[in-house]
Amino acid sequence: MMITKEQRSLYRSEGYMILPGVIPPAMLAMLREECSYYLGYYDCIMDSRGVQTENISHRGKRYFINNRYRLSSRLWQFIFSDLMAEVARATVGDEAWLMHEQWVVKGAEQGMKFAWHQDSGYVKWYNPTTQHKPYVTCWCTLDEVSEENGTVYLLPHSRGGTKSEIITHIKEDGTNDLIGYTGSDPGDPVVVPAGSIVAFDSFVFHRSGPNLTGNMRRIYLPQYSEKPLTRPDGKPWAMATPFLKDGKNIYNHAEDSAENWGPFPEDKNVVV
């Protein structure tokens, strides 16, 4: 894959670029299989806790399953692939760290909407003093996405006024969503085939509609930053796995295992 000058320019000016159908078929099949496993995994967690809602996940309706890639023997092959290295270089630059990854799934017929927000708005909610450059969200479609099944809507920087600012968000009762925009602009819906990557920076406002179709809407998304994001105590915000240095892929799978990792980071950083 070669990211064009036009796509790079759009990302720099408006905060996003769209790469239709770039995920190889074998890799896409693997991601779908892994997604099925993690949905069952998370339902079991909810069952063990006797809950139907956990933070912003609602069983059967909307799932956010965060920072579990080290439990998989295969996900690292996508997260640290040449494909994702190219996306990271074109967005955050020649130094990149994996700072977060998650599954975002909307259930068939009852998949919930998600409110207008910036991804960095969630960082600011938990760390009001944060000062960080935008990181990149790679919204990878496991299914064809449309307005009917709850695709993402983007509000470009020129319309959202968000190129250099993290807006203070408020929490919505009932859903626990954070909301950062209440204007009338509906945003631009992303309609792309399965296997696409929508890369947008963490200051871009985005939302999603409900899933009204008979099939799930499945997304996998890794997020990369040019340097580790930290909490007020200096510890990493979520993860800080080295990926690129001087533009070269330096990821070392042998050293990156669940046994060497320690406790799971808290699940606080989300997108639609």
Side-chain angles (χ1 to χ4, degrees):
M1 183 191 70
M2 291 294 294
I3 297 174
T4 67
K5 291 182 180 180
E6 290 77 15
Q7 289 167 328
R8 293 170 186 265
S9 177
L10 183 63
Y11 186 86
R12 289 193 298 270
S13 62
E14 296 290 13
Y16 74 95
M17 61 180 172
I18 298 174
L19 308 171
V22 294
I23 301 175
M27 193 70 78
L28 180 59
M30 181 273 286
L31 291 174
R32 288 168 171 166
E33 291 169 4
E34 292 290 301
C35 183
S36 294
Y37 167 79
Y38 279 97
L39 285 174
Y41 163 92
Y42 203 67
D43 279 344
C44 288
I45 289 177
M46 285 191 170
D47 288 345
S48 69
R49 295 173 180 173
V51 300
Q52 295 292 307
T53 299
E54 188 169 70
N55 197 6
I56 57 172
S57 291
H58 299 258
R59 181 167 181 163
K61 299 178 180 180
R62 192 178 73 184
Y63 293 87
F64 299 87
I65 307 171
N66 304 335
N67 297 331
R68 299 294 193 264
Y69 83 91
R70 290 184 176 98
L71 297 180
S72 166
S73 64
R74 303 188 291 175
L75 276 176
W76 67 273
Q77 298 171 6
F78 176 73
I79 297 170
F80 303 103
S81 64
D82 291 342
L83 170 63
M84 300 314 298
E86 184 170 353
V87 175
R89 277 191 293 266
T91 54
V92 298
D94 285 346
E95 182 169 344
W97 302 68
L98 175 71
M99 55 85 63
H100 194 265
E101 56 86 28
Q102 68 179 357
W103 303 97
V104 184
V105 178
K106 294 195 175 193
E109 298 178 347
Q110 56 180 350
M112 295 170 59
K113 69 175 182 63
F114 202 71
W116 279 116
H117 67 284
Q118 298 167 297
D119 290 342
S120 285
Y122 278 82
V123 180
K124 185 175 182 179
W125 177 265
Y126 291 101
N127 179 11
T129 63
T130 187
Q131 296 288 331
H132 64 267
K133 292 183 179 179
Y135 51 89
V136 64
T137 290
C138 300
W139 200 77
C140 304
T141 62
L142 277 59
D143 305 292
E144 180 180 0
V145 292
S146 64
E147 293 187 78
E148 289 73 27
N149 72 356
T151 193
V152 67
Y153 293 72
L154 303 176
L155 192 60
H157 285 320
S158 60
R159 285 152 51 194
T162 49
K163 192 166 186 177
S164 60
E165 183 179 5
I166 306 175
I167 307 299
T168 298
H169 290 46
I170 60 172
K171 182 174 283 191
E172 182 178 57
D173 292 337
T175 65
N176 296 322
D177 295 359
L178 296 186
I179 302 176
Y181 176 73
T182 57
S184 59
D185 192 323
D188 299 329
V190 174
V191 178
V192 291
S196 300
I197 299 175
V198 184
F200 52 91
D201 80 41
S202 62
F203 289 9
V204 168
F205 275 129
H206 53 287
R207 67 176 179 93
S208 66
N211 181 7
L212 305 177
T213 72
N215 299 305
M216 290 186 292
R217 191 222 69 178
R218 300 168 294 179
I219 303 296
Y220 182 65
L221 59 96
Q223 295 170 303
Y224 306 96
S225 57
E226 74 164 349
K227 60 179 63 177
L229 269 67
T230 57
R231 302 173 187 269
D233 61 7
K235 294 180 180 179
W237 165 254
M239 294 186 291
T241 306
F243 182 21
L244 300 180
K245 186 174 179 61
D246 297 326
K248 297 181 180 179
N249 189 340
I250 61 169
Y251 175 70
N252 188 329
H253 179 60
E255 296 180 357
D256 185 33
S257 65
E259 291 78 11
N260 297 330
W261 189 27
F264 291 117
E266 295 176 74
D267 298 340
K268 291 180 177 177
N269 191 37
V270 298
V271 297
V272 296

